[in-house]
Amino acid sequence: MSQSTPELTKPTPRKVVLPRELHPVAWWVWALGMAAAASMTTNPWILLTIVAVAAIVVEFRRGDAPWALSFGFYLWFGLIIVVIRVVFRIIFGGAMGPDDPVLFSLPSIPLPEVARGIELLGDVTLGSVLAGLYDGMRLAALIICVGAANSLANPRQLLASIPPALYEVGTALVVALSVFPQLADSVKRVTKARRLRGEPGKGVSATRRIVIPVLEDALERSMTLAASMDSRGYGRAGDTPLRDRWLTGTLMIVAMIGLAVGSYGFLDGTAPRILAWPMLGIGVLFAVASMWAAGKRVKRTRYRTIRWQFGEYSAVGSGLAVAIGLKFAGAEHVGVMYPPVDSWPELLPVVILIPLIGALPAILTPPALRDEDTMEGE
Amino acid sequence: MNIVELNDVSFAYDDSGPTILTDVNLALFEGELVLVSGRTGSGKSTLLRMFNGLVPHFSGGTLRGDVVLKGESIVGKPPRELADFVGFVPQDPLSSFVGSTVEEELAYGMEQLGLDQQTMRRRVEETLDLLGIAHLRRRSVRALSGGQQQRVAIGAVLTTHPKLLVLDEPTSALDPMAAEDVLATISRLTQDLALTVVIAEHRMERVVPFVDRIAIVENGRVRIGDPAEALIESPVAPPIVELGRLAGWRPLPLSVRDARSQARTNPLTLGKPEPRATHTGECALSARDIVVQYGTKVAVNRVDVNLNRGEVLALMGRNGCGKSSLMWALQGTGRRTGGTVDVDGDDPADLKADEARMLVGLVPQTAADLLYLESVADECAAADQHAGAEAGTTRALLDRLAPGIEQQKHPRDLSEGQRLSLVLAIVLSAEPEVVLLDEPTRGLDYPAKHALAEMLADLAHRRHAIMVSTHDVEFVAQVADRAIVMADGDIVSQGLAADVLAESPAFAPQVSKILGPEWLTIEQVQAARESGASDA
């Protein structure tokens, strides 16, 4: 290193985007934005764009954890939904209008008098098949968007980011998450072992031979887990003054009353309006306050929380932009959003471009951590 | 300074029932490593769980007397309030994990204590290094090997910087190498961290050389003392100690080195060991080219096995080397990708499960999976019915294997050894010629292992062909005629048990390490001494 460089040109800081895990809430907001957009339209072009965008982002930004591999399953699931919708339309037929062109005719199955008005098979029209197709595609796109969130967001981190007052609920869910694979293992093991005692027969006794050992196993395991959590400090009370506990309790009860009355007022149109929004508002306000009060006395910390940075904001922003953009664009082009089934669905550049905003996280968010990056020690 | 004191402590699950521990007085010093030993069910676990309040807080029951931690009574305090002082590692690490990855697991205890992020991060890194698991940090805890899991479980309690570490049989599910690793780690902790460690352990032979004191739990009483003295009258003792007792060596040798030097200065006069009776009969099971494949992983790779009537074949190798896969494949109900098995002209895989079990019986690793009824009597009756045997057959078998088990007892309440006998009796009720046992020695103490060895010898004597997979070299030395060592799906060594054990220092039983390869077990030495005495 030279010590006497007379003039240092100030180096421009190099921006490096390091691989890291994005906050799961960011992925969920992005995915729900996309899903909301999908729910606003039956135009197959827009829906296909949304699915494609989701697939691209997943492909670019998923890690290699088990949940990350689930996206393909959601794609298949979407396809099955579309097929089922179309098949239903064929079976339950019915033309969409007087001049709906008939694609092909199947022998119609007459139904008894009680079910009049429903026709099985019969003429299959283009309109009904297209309506089924569009509808199915919309549902499939919704599910695929949720699937994208599932494969991108770490479910455990999601649970870890719930407010401290709900910590116990979160822990229960975390434990359930880890118990499930164990339960599956133990069912597999017991089913295998059962054959060593000969054919089990049928019915109750056969089920019993699996259920009893599995439950005994599960019970034993949960006792061990509970003992282990207890001895590691789970549920340490510390010293909460009685006054604080009273405060939290009171806030919580007021919140519950507000929410209950408010939602009743909101749902029942004949109830006075004063019971609807104002009460709901009060309920939410107090709920937040009680959570805050409860959270304040919790003496627990989090290891390695994920900070909200540019990547998170870009994901949230693009997801919301797609939903809001399509809402406004759709209001002006209702015919494009819900295309009639008797003509080719319209392809309008504006409404196709808006969902493409959702693809930005594929570039703007940091890449996901992969296991091979952490294997250098082996 | 005493870190823990038990003053006149008695414990019973209910007031009318028997006391588990009676008038226990015990004081542990700072920085010492104490081994708690005793027979299964003697109250070892109860004693360990008192140190952090799990007994009586979690177990129920009545505790009398006083438990003092660092000068303060903890009676009435729940375990969670002691989490920063006592680290408790339960027997099965996997079912005690709360986090999903190694790092999360290590941080969990600190999160509960409310430490700040920087401290947590620093301690996690320190602990990862201390236990040599830094490369596993992001791994899922479920994907680790048994030894790694155990080290993570230890790390998870160390991060809260406890003064006392309590370990309940940390190596009972590990293969010898992994067990050695974990125990070496533990002994290093006592050196590096000045931690007081209390450990309960079945495999005493591996811990005894480096413990400071031994607490022996027997009939509800606890006595503690210097290892060499305490072991003179211990109900459970490693072979080395038994040899020392037999030879009258004082002080009792605790390590192979000690014993060798004792043997030099105070030699045992022994003749030649009696040649082992080989009772190999005709071939009962012959397997060719067995392949077991899971996805792309080849668990068993073209293995040939012959199993003869009247012999006990030991199957050894580290965890995950394909032992269980091979056994299940031979039994016929497990997965088999290739190869043939011939038992009396039939391949069990071609038969229905009902018929396969009449040819080959298998006692699986978790034997309790086979049990589903409320009493021993019900289980026996169901087994008779399944096997189409006469009523009482299974019970008679059970009585031969382990006499005197109460009919009305719940199978879950039996000791490990008794439960194993019950499952073995159920398997035998179908009268299979070939009996396979997968890791039956897990969780058995020395006397129970001895009983199992006698059971197997008796079955072999009745012309059954027996194959038993185990990690326990001492058990192999005791019971096996032939041995096979597997590694990574292949057979790497096979032959007479004595030869296989003598071939590799890792597999040599303690007696051969001291007296030479021709001696395998205490029984041999004893027999030679007796015949030597009668000759003289």
Side-chain angles (χ1 to χ4, degrees), chain B residues 489-532:
Chain B
D490 301 312
I491 290 185
V492 290
S493 150
Q494 60 180 323
L496 290 178
D499 298 339
V500 171
L501 294 181
E503 254 168 31
S504 125
F507 288 129
Q510 286 193 317
V511 177
S512 3
K513 280 183 186 160
I514 300 161
L515 298 178
E518 67 271 25
W519 300 97
L520 291 177
T521 62
I522 297 291
E523 285 77 23
Q524 274 182 324
V525 178
Q526 206 159 9
R529 295 257 294 183
E530 274 159 18
S531 69

Short mmCIF file of all heavy atoms in Angstrom, two decimals, chain B residues 489-532:
data_model
loop_
_atom_site.label_atom_id
_atom_site.label_comp_id
_atom_site.label_asym_id
_atom_site.label_seq_id
_atom_site.Cartn_x
_atom_site.Cartn_y
_atom_site.Cartn_z
N GLY B 489 -23.37 -48.65 1.41
CA GLY B 489 -24.11 -49.57 0.57
C GLY B 489 -23.36 -50.83 0.16
O GLY B 489 -23.94 -51.74 -0.41
N ASP B 490 -22.06 -50.88 0.44
CA ASP B 490 -21.27 -52.06 0.07
C ASP B 490 -20.89 -52.85 1.31
O ASP B 490 -20.81 -52.30 2.40
CB ASP B 490 -19.97 -51.65 -0.62
CG ASP B 490 -20.21 -50.84 -1.86
OD1 ASP B 490 -21.04 -51.29 -2.67
OD2 ASP B 490 -19.59 -49.78 -2.02
N ILE B 491 -20.59 -54.13 1.09
CA ILE B 491 -19.98 -54.91 2.18
C ILE B 491 -18.48 -54.69 2.10
O ILE B 491 -17.87 -54.90 1.06
CB ILE B 491 -20.30 -56.41 2.03
CG1 ILE B 491 -21.78 -56.63 2.31
CG2 ILE B 491 -19.44 -57.23 2.96
CD1 ILE B 491 -22.19 -58.07 2.30
N VAL B 492 -17.88 -54.19 3.17
CA VAL B 492 -16.45 -53.93 3.10
C VAL B 492 -15.63 -54.99 3.83
O VAL B 492 -14.43 -55.09 3.64
CB VAL B 492 -16.08 -52.53 3.65
CG1 VAL B 492 -16.57 -51.46 2.71
CG2 VAL B 492 -16.64 -52.33 5.04
N SER B 493 -16.30 -55.76 4.67
CA SER B 493 -15.55 -56.77 5.38
C SER B 493 -16.53 -57.80 5.89
O SER B 493 -17.62 -57.46 6.34
CB SER B 493 -14.78 -56.08 6.52
OG SER B 493 -14.60 -56.94 7.60
N GLN B 494 -16.18 -59.08 5.79
CA GLN B 494 -17.05 -60.09 6.37
C GLN B 494 -16.23 -61.32 6.74
O GLN B 494 -15.15 -61.53 6.21
CB GLN B 494 -18.19 -60.46 5.43
CG GLN B 494 -17.76 -61.01 4.09
CD GLN B 494 -18.98 -61.34 3.24
OE1 GLN B 494 -19.98 -61.81 3.77
NE2 GLN B 494 -18.90 -61.12 1.95
N GLY B 495 -16.78 -62.09 7.65
CA GLY B 495 -16.05 -63.28 8.09
C GLY B 495 -16.49 -63.67 9.48
O GLY B 495 -17.53 -63.20 9.95
N LEU B 496 -15.70 -64.50 10.14
CA LEU B 496 -16.01 -64.86 11.51
C LEU B 496 -15.96 -63.60 12.38
O LEU B 496 -15.10 -62.74 12.17
CB LEU B 496 -15.00 -65.89 12.03
CG LEU B 496 -15.09 -67.28 11.40
CD1 LEU B 496 -14.00 -68.18 11.95
CD2 LEU B 496 -16.46 -67.88 11.65
N ALA B 497 -16.87 -63.52 13.31
CA ALA B 497 -16.96 -62.30 14.11
C ALA B 497 -15.61 -61.97 14.75
O ALA B 497 -15.16 -60.82 14.74
CB ALA B 497 -18.03 -62.46 15.19
N ALA B 498 -14.94 -63.00 15.29
CA ALA B 498 -13.67 -62.77 15.97
C ALA B 498 -12.66 -62.14 15.01
O ALA B 498 -11.93 -61.21 15.39
CB ALA B 498 -13.14 -64.08 16.52
N ASP B 499 -12.64 -62.63 13.77
CA ASP B 499 -11.68 -62.09 12.80
C ASP B 499 -12.01 -60.66 12.41
O ASP B 499 -11.15 -59.79 12.34
CB ASP B 499 -11.63 -62.96 11.54
CG ASP B 499 -11.18 -64.38 11.88
OD1 ASP B 499 -10.54 -64.53 12.94
OD2 ASP B 499 -11.49 -65.30 11.09
N VAL B 500 -13.32 -60.43 12.13
CA VAL B 500 -13.72 -59.09 11.70
C VAL B 500 -13.41 -58.07 12.80
O VAL B 500 -12.89 -56.99 12.54
CB VAL B 500 -15.23 -59.07 11.35
CG1 VAL B 500 -15.70 -57.64 11.13
CG2 VAL B 500 -15.50 -59.91 10.13
N LEU B 501 -13.69 -58.45 14.04
CA LEU B 501 -13.45 -57.52 15.14
C LEU B 501 -11.96 -57.30 15.34
O LEU B 501 -11.53 -56.19 15.65
CB LEU B 501 -14.08 -58.05 16.43
CG LEU B 501 -15.60 -58.12 16.44
CD1 LEU B 501 -16.08 -58.63 17.79
CD2 LEU B 501 -16.22 -56.76 16.17
N ALA B 502 -11.17 -58.35 15.15
CA ALA B 502 -9.74 -58.22 15.39
C ALA B 502 -9.08 -57.41 14.28
O ALA B 502 -8.07 -56.73 14.51
CB ALA B 502 -9.11 -59.59 15.49
N GLU B 503 -9.66 -57.49 13.06
CA GLU B 503 -9.06 -56.83 11.91
C GLU B 503 -8.89 -55.33 12.08
O GLU B 503 -7.92 -54.75 11.63
CB GLU B 503 -9.96 -57.04 10.69
CG GLU B 503 -9.45 -58.04 9.68
CD GLU B 503 -10.54 -58.38 8.69
OE1 GLU B 503 -11.38 -57.49 8.40
OE2 GLU B 503 -10.56 -59.51 8.20
N SER B 504 -9.92 -54.70 12.71
CA SER B 504 -9.88 -53.25 12.70
C SER B 504 -9.90 -52.73 14.12
O SER B 504 -10.71 -53.14 14.95
CB SER B 504 -11.09 -52.73 11.93
OG SER B 504 -11.83 -51.86 12.72
N PRO B 505 -8.97 -51.82 14.43
CA PRO B 505 -8.90 -51.31 15.80
C PRO B 505 -10.19 -50.59 16.22
O PRO B 505 -10.53 -50.59 17.40
CB PRO B 505 -7.73 -50.32 15.76
CG PRO B 505 -7.29 -50.22 14.36
CD PRO B 505 -7.96 -51.26 13.55
N ALA B 506 -10.90 -50.02 15.24
CA ALA B 506 -12.13 -49.30 15.59
C ALA B 506 -13.19 -50.24 16.12
O ALA B 506 -14.06 -49.86 16.89
CB ALA B 506 -12.65 -48.55 14.38
N PHE B 507 -13.13 -51.52 15.70
CA PHE B 507 -14.15 -52.47 16.10
C PHE B 507 -13.72 -53.38 17.24
O PHE B 507 -14.48 -54.22 17.68
CB PHE B 507 -14.58 -53.33 14.92
CG PHE B 507 -15.40 -52.60 13.92
CD1 PHE B 507 -15.08 -52.63 12.58
CD2 PHE B 507 -16.52 -51.89 14.32
CE1 PHE B 507 -15.85 -51.96 11.65
CE2 PHE B 507 -17.29 -51.20 13.40
CZ PHE B 507 -16.96 -51.24 12.06
N ALA B 508 -12.48 -53.22 17.68
CA ALA B 508 -11.99 -54.16 18.70
C ALA B 508 -12.71 -53.92 20.02
O ALA B 508 -12.77 -52.79 20.50
CB ALA B 508 -10.49 -53.98 18.87
N PRO B 509 -13.24 -54.98 20.64
CA PRO B 509 -13.85 -54.81 21.96
C PRO B 509 -12.74 -54.54 22.99
O PRO B 509 -11.58 -54.84 22.75
CB PRO B 509 -14.55 -56.14 22.22
CG PRO B 509 -14.04 -57.09 21.21
CD PRO B 509 -13.41 -56.33 20.10
N GLN B 510 -13.17 -54.00 24.13
CA GLN B 510 -12.19 -53.57 25.11
C GLN B 510 -11.31 -54.71 25.61
O GLN B 510 -10.11 -54.54 25.80
CB GLN B 510 -12.90 -52.91 26.29
CG GLN B 510 -13.40 -51.53 25.94
CD GLN B 510 -13.81 -50.76 27.17
OE1 GLN B 510 -14.44 -51.30 28.07
NE2 GLN B 510 -13.47 -49.50 27.21
N VAL B 511 -11.93 -55.88 25.76
CA VAL B 511 -11.16 -57.01 26.29
C VAL B 511 -10.02 -57.36 25.35
O VAL B 511 -8.89 -57.61 25.78
CB VAL B 511 -12.08 -58.23 26.54
CG1 VAL B 511 -11.26 -59.41 27.01
CG2 VAL B 511 -13.14 -57.88 27.56
N SER B 512 -10.28 -57.32 24.01
CA SER B 512 -9.16 -57.65 23.12
C SER B 512 -8.12 -56.56 23.10
O SER B 512 -6.95 -56.81 22.87
CB SER B 512 -9.60 -57.93 21.69
OG SER B 512 -10.92 -57.77 21.48
N LYS B 513 -8.56 -55.34 23.33
CA LYS B 513 -7.57 -54.27 23.36
C LYS B 513 -6.59 -54.48 24.51
O LYS B 513 -5.43 -54.09 24.43
CB LYS B 513 -8.25 -52.92 23.56
CG LYS B 513 -8.84 -52.36 22.27
CD LYS B 513 -9.45 -50.99 22.51
CE LYS B 513 -10.18 -50.49 21.28
NZ LYS B 513 -11.15 -49.44 21.62
N ILE B 514 -7.06 -55.10 25.57
CA ILE B 514 -6.21 -55.28 26.74
C ILE B 514 -5.45 -56.61 26.69
O ILE B 514 -4.25 -56.66 26.89
CB ILE B 514 -7.05 -55.22 28.03
CG1 ILE B 514 -7.73 -53.86 28.12
CG2 ILE B 514 -6.18 -55.45 29.26
CD1 ILE B 514 -8.89 -53.84 29.06
N LEU B 515 -6.19 -57.69 26.37
CA LEU B 515 -5.57 -59.02 26.49
C LEU B 515 -5.09 -59.60 25.17
O LEU B 515 -4.50 -60.67 25.15
CB LEU B 515 -6.57 -59.98 27.14
CG LEU B 515 -7.01 -59.63 28.56
CD1 LEU B 515 -8.03 -60.63 29.05
CD2 LEU B 515 -5.82 -59.58 29.50
N GLY B 516 -5.37 -58.92 24.07
CA GLY B 516 -4.96 -59.46 22.79
C GLY B 516 -6.13 -59.99 22.00
O GLY B 516 -7.20 -60.27 22.57
N PRO B 517 -5.95 -60.12 20.69
CA PRO B 517 -7.06 -60.39 19.78
C PRO B 517 -7.76 -61.72 20.02
O PRO B 517 -8.89 -61.91 19.56
CB PRO B 517 -6.41 -60.34 18.40
CG PRO B 517 -4.96 -60.51 18.63
CD PRO B 517 -4.68 -59.95 19.97
N GLU B 518 -7.14 -62.66 20.72
CA GLU B 518 -7.83 -63.95 20.88
C GLU B 518 -8.93 -63.88 21.94
O GLU B 518 -9.78 -64.74 22.00
CB GLU B 518 -6.84 -65.09 21.14
CG GLU B 518 -6.10 -65.03 22.46
CD GLU B 518 -4.80 -64.23 22.35
OE1 GLU B 518 -4.70 -63.38 21.45
OE2 GLU B 518 -3.88 -64.47 23.16
N TRP B 519 -8.94 -62.83 22.73
CA TRP B 519 -9.96 -62.68 23.76
C TRP B 519 -10.98 -61.65 23.34
O TRP B 519 -10.63 -60.55 22.93
CB TRP B 519 -9.32 -62.24 25.09
CG TRP B 519 -8.33 -63.23 25.58
CD1 TRP B 519 -6.99 -63.18 25.41
CD2 TRP B 519 -8.61 -64.44 26.29
NE1 TRP B 519 -6.39 -64.29 25.98
CE2 TRP B 519 -7.37 -65.08 26.52
CE3 TRP B 519 -9.77 -65.05 26.74
CZ2 TRP B 519 -7.27 -66.30 27.19
CZ3 TRP B 519 -9.68 -66.25 27.41
CH2 TRP B 519 -8.43 -66.87 27.62
N LEU B 520 -12.25 -62.01 23.41
CA LEU B 520 -13.28 -61.07 22.98
C LEU B 520 -14.15 -60.58 24.13
O LEU B 520 -14.50 -59.42 24.20
CB LEU B 520 -14.19 -61.72 21.93
CG LEU B 520 -13.57 -62.00 20.56
CD1 LEU B 520 -14.57 -62.70 19.68
CD2 LEU B 520 -13.12 -60.71 19.91
N THR B 521 -14.53 -61.50 25.00
CA THR B 521 -15.52 -61.12 26.02
C THR B 521 -15.07 -61.52 27.42
O THR B 521 -14.20 -62.38 27.59
CB THR B 521 -16.87 -61.82 25.78
OG1 THR B 521 -16.65 -63.22 25.87
CG2 THR B 521 -17.43 -61.48 24.43
N ILE B 522 -15.73 -60.87 28.38
CA ILE B 522 -15.50 -61.20 29.78
C ILE B 522 -15.84 -62.67 30.04
O ILE B 522 -15.13 -63.36 30.78
CB ILE B 522 -16.41 -60.32 30.66
CG1 ILE B 522 -16.04 -58.86 30.49
CG2 ILE B 522 -16.33 -60.72 32.11
CD1 ILE B 522 -14.71 -58.50 31.07
N GLU B 523 -16.91 -63.15 29.40
CA GLU B 523 -17.35 -64.53 29.63
C GLU B 523 -16.24 -65.52 29.30
O GLU B 523 -16.00 -66.47 30.03
CB GLU B 523 -18.60 -64.86 28.80
CG GLU B 523 -19.88 -64.26 29.31
CD GLU B 523 -20.00 -62.79 28.97
OE1 GLU B 523 -19.35 -62.34 28.01
OE2 GLU B 523 -20.72 -62.07 29.70
N GLN B 524 -15.55 -65.23 28.18
CA GLN B 524 -14.45 -66.11 27.79
C GLN B 524 -13.37 -66.14 28.87
O GLN B 524 -12.90 -67.20 29.26
CB GLN B 524 -13.80 -65.58 26.51
CG GLN B 524 -14.46 -66.04 25.24
CD GLN B 524 -13.69 -65.48 24.05
OE1 GLN B 524 -13.20 -64.36 24.08
NE2 GLN B 524 -13.60 -66.27 23.00
N VAL B 525 -13.04 -64.93 29.31
CA VAL B 525 -11.99 -64.83 30.32
C VAL B 525 -12.41 -65.59 31.58
O VAL B 525 -11.64 -66.37 32.16
CB VAL B 525 -11.71 -63.35 30.66
CG1 VAL B 525 -10.65 -63.24 31.75
CG2 VAL B 525 -11.27 -62.61 29.42
N GLN B 526 -13.69 -65.37 31.93
CA GLN B 526 -14.20 -66.01 33.14
C GLN B 526 -14.13 -67.53 33.01
O GLN B 526 -13.66 -68.23 33.91
CB GLN B 526 -15.64 -65.57 33.33
CG GLN B 526 -16.09 -65.62 34.76
CD GLN B 526 -17.29 -64.73 34.98
OE1 GLN B 526 -17.87 -64.21 34.02
NE2 GLN B 526 -17.66 -64.55 36.22
N ALA B 527 -14.59 -68.01 31.83
CA ALA B 527 -14.59 -69.46 31.61
C ALA B 527 -13.18 -70.01 31.67
O ALA B 527 -12.92 -71.06 32.29
CB ALA B 527 -15.24 -69.77 30.26
N ALA B 528 -12.25 -69.28 31.05
CA ALA B 528 -10.87 -69.76 31.04
C ALA B 528 -10.29 -69.78 32.45
O ALA B 528 -9.56 -70.69 32.82
CB ALA B 528 -10.02 -68.86 30.13
N ARG B 529 -10.67 -68.76 33.24
CA ARG B 529 -10.20 -68.71 34.62
C ARG B 529 -10.75 -69.90 35.41
O ARG B 529 -10.04 -70.53 36.17
CB ARG B 529 -10.66 -67.42 35.30
CG ARG B 529 -10.08 -66.19 34.71
CD ARG B 529 -9.00 -65.64 35.55
NE ARG B 529 -9.49 -65.17 36.84
CZ ARG B 529 -8.71 -64.59 37.74
NH1 ARG B 529 -7.42 -64.45 37.48
NH2 ARG B 529 -9.20 -64.18 38.88
N GLU B 530 -12.03 -70.17 35.20
CA GLU B 530 -12.65 -71.24 35.96
C GLU B 530 -12.04 -72.59 35.61
O GLU B 530 -11.70 -73.38 36.47
CB GLU B 530 -14.16 -71.27 35.73
CG GLU B 530 -14.87 -70.30 36.68
CD GLU B 530 -16.24 -69.90 36.18
OE1 GLU B 530 -16.78 -70.60 35.30
OE2 GLU B 530 -16.75 -68.88 36.66
N SER B 531 -11.89 -72.79 34.25
CA SER B 531 -11.33 -74.09 33.85
C SER B 531 -9.87 -74.17 34.30
O SER B 531 -9.39 -75.22 34.71
CB SER B 531 -11.45 -74.29 32.34
OG SER B 531 -10.58 -73.40 31.67
N GLY B 532 -9.18 -72.99 34.25
CA GLY B 532 -7.80 -72.96 34.73
C GLY B 532 -7.73 -73.33 36.20
O GLY B 532 -6.89 -74.13 36.62
#
